[in-house]
Amino acid sequence: MKTTIIQFKPTKNYNKNLEKLESFIKNSTSKLIIAPEVIVTDFDYSNWLEANEYAEVIKKRILPLSKDKIIVFTMIEDNKNRAYVFYNQKVVYIREKIKLFGYEKKYFKVGEIEPEIFEIDGIKFAILICFEIRFIEYWIKLKGVDVVLVPAMWGVERKKHLLTLSNALGLSLQSYVVVSDGLAFSSGIIDPWGDEIRDIDEVIDVDIDLDYLKKIRKKFKL
């Protein structure tokens, strides 16, 4: 499955950020596209109401682009950090961040659904939103998942943590882990054998080989 990872640091201009995201999506031929956490508005606490309201604009403009494409990122909506999965011009999955970090606790409401496995076209996905990747109890819940998607805005001083955690997660679950990080630029893909591809480019094109995943699990059973 061709996969595109998008990573860029958002500006204060929501429309320019959204236009950039739209451009990358339109130019991608991949089936799976992941962008960072709150990529359009960033954590814009100074314009909190506007950031929340802009979610409707984002959805209206991204939905038409999702024909034959699975598009994943998070946005601020209803005072929650909400992960959206768009596919074939529909919203097929939503989950809100439940492990908040730092100032997020002051502004965001905690989500209600813990990380879980969901399926699209027979592929088992899960989403860990940034800080949630630190919690081992979620790794256990996601056993059997094919692809873990991690939209993030990870602190630069803790970049090594995200690299280590995502590598370990791929090995632990024998799954693909796809990270999109718009702050520390830790984006990349980790395969079920622990091999990784990382880059600091704004667009990273990689492949998810589900046959290889099955081969690894058959060869090294856990």
Side-chain angles (χ1 to χ4, degrees):
M1 178 171 55
K2 292 180 65 177
T3 299
T4 294
I5 305 167
I6 297 168
Q7 61 176 354
F8 63 88
K9 192 176 187 310
T11 69
K12 291 295 183 182
N13 189 315
Y14 298 172
N15 189 57
K16 285 187 178 180
N17 297 335
L18 183 52
E19 285 179 345
K20 189 170 187 176
L21 178 61
E22 287 174 310
S23 176
F24 286 146
I25 292 171
K26 289 175 182 177
N27 290 330
S28 173
T29 60
S30 295
K31 179 172 183 177
L32 174 62
I33 301 171
I34 179 173
E37 181 182 26
V38 296
I39 184 57
V40 175
T41 64
D42 204 351
F43 291 99
D44 192 1
Y45 299 128
S46 298
N47 299 287
W48 188 242
L49 179 60
E50 182 183 354
N52 273 273
E53 292 175 344
Y54 204 74
E56 290 302 319
V57 178
I58 299 170
K59 288 184 288 184
K60 184 177 180 180
R61 287 167 56 174
I62 295 299
L63 266 174
L65 304 182
S66 65
K67 180 173 172 55
D68 299 323
K69 295 178 179 180
I70 302 168
I71 303 171
V72 182
F73 59 94
T74 86
M75 65 185 82
I76 299 169
E77 186 178 36
D78 298 330
N79 296 321
K80 293 182 178 180
N81 189 342
R82 189 167 281 165
Y84 270 87
V85 181
F86 303 91
Y87 183 43
N88 278 334
Q89 300 175 327
K90 295 180 181 179
V91 175
V92 297
Y93 185 76
I94 295 174
R95 190 181 70 78
E96 295 138 355
K97 190 174 184 179
I98 64 171
K99 292 293 187 181
L100 304 178
F101 179 79
Y103 271 100
E104 295 174 29
K105 297 175 183 177
K106 181 178 179 180
Y107 291 90
F108 285 97
K109 295 179 182 176
V110 176
E112 297 178 357
I113 301 173
E114 291 192 341
E116 61 184 357
I117 295 173
F118 61 95
E119 289 195 24
I120 300 176
D121 291 348
I123 302 171
K124 295 179 180 179
F125 290 95
I127 297 173
L128 292 174
I129 305 171
C130 200
F131 187 52
E132 293 176 339
I133 197 174
R134 285 187 177 272
F135 296 87
I136 192 70
E137 60 264 33
Y138 300 147
W139 297 24
I140 296 169
K141 283 191 65 177
L142 300 182
K143 185 177 181 181
V145 71
D146 298 321
V147 183
V148 181
L149 304 169
V150 186
M153 280 287 178
W154 198 271
V156 176
E157 68 275 15
R158 298 180 298 278
K159 177 173 181 174
K160 184 178 179 180
H161 298 185
L162 180 55
L163 297 176
T164 302
L165 286 163
S166 53
N167 285 352
L169 179 59
L171 279 171
S172 177
L173 295 178
Q174 293 185 317
S175 304
Y176 282 93
V177 177
V178 186
V179 179
S180 175
D181 173 17
L183 188 56
F185 285 73
S186 309
S187 301
I189 186 170
I190 301 90
D191 73 20
W193 195 244
D195 292 326
E196 61 179 329
I197 297 173
R198 307 271 189 180
D199 208 319
I200 60 171
D201 290 343
E202 290 187 327
V203 176
I204 308 169
D205 289 316
V206 294
D207 284 302
I208 290 175
D209 186 343
L210 296 174
D211 289 332
Y212 179 70
L213 181 149
K214 293 174 184 176
K215 180 181 176 181
I216 292 300
R217 290 178 175 175
K218 184 177 180 180
K219 177 180 179 180
F220 194 75
K221 295 181 180 181
L222 297 178

